[in-house]
Every structure is written in structure tokens, then in C-alpha cells.
């Protein structure tokens, strides 16, 4: 297995160098999986269900800065304190159906990362953040439009954000929308 770092060039306000050093093209690990247990509700009862999520790749890369948006004052600020700091990105397949499943996966992953002393698990301090891609579809159809919810910093936040986005996308599909747009931007 060979991994290498590349410069990924793109402009974004929180990326002061104008590029990111990443292993995106040749990551440090590919084609893995993580087994975890999720609670599923059935007829008012919760029962544990064994699950497995495919890990497509694990890559090392530089973190970007942090964009802070103030809607009330209609301005954005950039915190560059974390820009350039190394991070490990774990990319999974779309194997989760609910926020609860994703949260159970994150809990198991956190336990492993803390046990092998790779991460202290302090999500609220930014030691681990979750970017969740959510896409719904009708049964038998391909995945729909993907929306990314970025920088989730708690297990509860992961659950609530994913479940909210699933409900929002289902509502849009039921209205007959074939594409989704962020209100206020488009």
C-alpha cells in the first residue's frame, strides 16, 4: 500500500494558503469496515441491532480555518487558529438510515480512537468533528441530492442534524421537488 500527499488547490476564505495538503487520491487506508450496535425502536421497545458500516478510506490532511457566521449582524468572521493543523478524515459509505445509527457508529469509533490514544474524544473542543452527507430517495431509486451538514461537534448534534435533514429532504420530495436548495442562497 502506497500513500502520498498532494496539493488540492481551491479558494475558500478559511483556507489561507489557497491549497490543502491531503492524501485524498492515495489515502493511508482503504476498504475497511466498523461493526457497531445501534438501538432500533419497534412497537415502543428499543432493541440492540448489530450493524456494519463500510469505511471507504482514511486519509491524513490539513485542517482549514473555521468560518463563523452571524446572521443577525449579517457578517462572517474567520478563525484561522486550526488552519494547517493535521487531521485524520474517515470516509464511510452511505450505510446509515438514521441519525441514531450514525451516532452509534461515532460512539464506537470514538471508543476505538480513545483506546489506541489517537484522539481524546473531546468533540466540543474540536478533537473530533463530523461532516454528515444526507441523501434520501424513493425505494428502488438511486440516492437523491446530497446535502452536507458540516462540523457537528457532539453525538446529540449528529443525531439531531441528520434526522432533521432527512425529514426536510423527505418533505421536499413529497412536494415533488427534484432538487433541493438552501433558502436565502439561491
Amino acid at each position: 500500500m502506497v500513500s502520498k500527499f498532494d496539493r488540492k488547490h481551491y479558494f475558500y476564505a478559511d483556507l489561507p494558503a489557497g491549497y490543502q495538503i491531503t492524501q485524498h487520491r492515495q489515502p493511508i487506508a482503504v476498504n475497511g469496515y466498523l461493526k457497531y450496535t445501534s438501538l432500533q425502536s419497534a412497537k415502543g421497545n428499543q432493541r440492540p441491532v448489530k450493524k456494519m458500516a463500510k469505511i471507504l478510506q482514511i486519509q491524513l490532511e490539513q485542517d482549514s480555518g473555521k468560518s463563523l457566521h452571524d446572521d443577525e449582524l449579517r457578517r462572517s468572521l474567520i478563525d484561522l487558529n486550526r488552519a494547517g493543523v493535521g487531521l485524520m478524515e474517515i470516509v464511510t459509505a452511505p450505510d446509515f438510515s438514521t441519525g441514531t445509527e450514525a451516532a452509534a457508529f461515532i460512539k464506537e469509533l470514538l471508543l476505538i480512537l480513545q483506546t489506541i490514544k489517537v484522539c481524546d474524544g473531546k468533540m466540543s473542543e474540536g478533537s473530533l468533528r463530523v461532516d454528515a452527507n444526507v441523501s434520501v430517495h424513493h425505494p428502488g431509486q438511486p440516492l437523491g441530492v446530497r446535502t452536507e451538514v458540516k462540523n457537528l461537534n457532539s453525538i446529540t448534534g449528529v443525531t439531531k442534524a441528520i434526522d432533521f435533514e432527512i425529514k426536510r429532504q423527505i418533505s421536499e420530495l413529497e412536494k415533488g421537488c427534484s432538487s433541493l436548495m438552501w433558502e436565502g442562497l439561491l
Side-chain angles (χ1 to χ4, degrees), residues 110-119:
L110 263 174
L111 182 63
I112 293 167
L113 295 175
Q114 288 171 315
T115 300
I116 63 174
K117 299 189 185 323
V118 172
C119 177

Side-chain angles (χ1 to χ4, degrees), residues 1 9-10 16 20 40 42 44-45 49 52 54-55 67 71 74 98 104 108 112 161 165 184-185:
M1 172 74 149
H9 290 265
Y10 62 96
Q20 178 185 46
Q40 286 190 340
N45 295 324
V49 176
M52 184 177 83
K54 290 185 255 358
I55 295 176
S67 298
D71 291 336
R74 298 179 51 88
T98 66
E108 185 67 24
I112 293 167
E165 186 58 24
L185 291 182

Side-chain angles (χ1 to χ4, degrees), residues 156-169:
T156 302
V158 168
T159 304
K160 288 181 178 180
I162 291 172
D163 287 342
F164 175 87
E165 186 58 24
I166 288 170
K167 288 177 188 168
R168 187 186 75 78
Q169 288 188 26

Side-chain angles (χ1 to χ4, degrees), residues 14 64-68 77-83 151 153:
D14 61 10
S64 60
K66 180 179 179 180
S67 298
L68 306 165
L77 303 171
I78 308 292
D79 178 352
L80 295 176
N81 285 319
R82 70 182 192 199
N151 294 314
N153 65 356

Side-chain angles (χ1 to χ4, degrees), residues 84-147:
V85 174
L87 65 83
M88 175 175 52
E89 181 172 85
I90 300 171
V91 181
T92 66
D95 289 339
F96 310 103
S97 299
T98 66
T100 301
E101 283 184 16
F105 171 86
I106 298 297
K107 286 179 187 175
E108 185 67 24
L109 179 63
L110 263 174
L111 182 63
I112 293 167
L113 295 175
Q114 288 171 315
T115 300
I116 63 174
K117 299 189 185 323
V118 172
C119 177
D120 64 16
K122 297 177 182 174
M123 291 183 74
S124 63
E125 294 179 10
S127 297
L128 186 135
R129 297 184 311 271
V130 175
D131 292 349
N133 291 293
V134 179
S135 176
V136 299
H137 60 97
H138 293 290
Q141 297 292 316
L143 291 173
V145 174
R146 183 181 72 186
T147 301

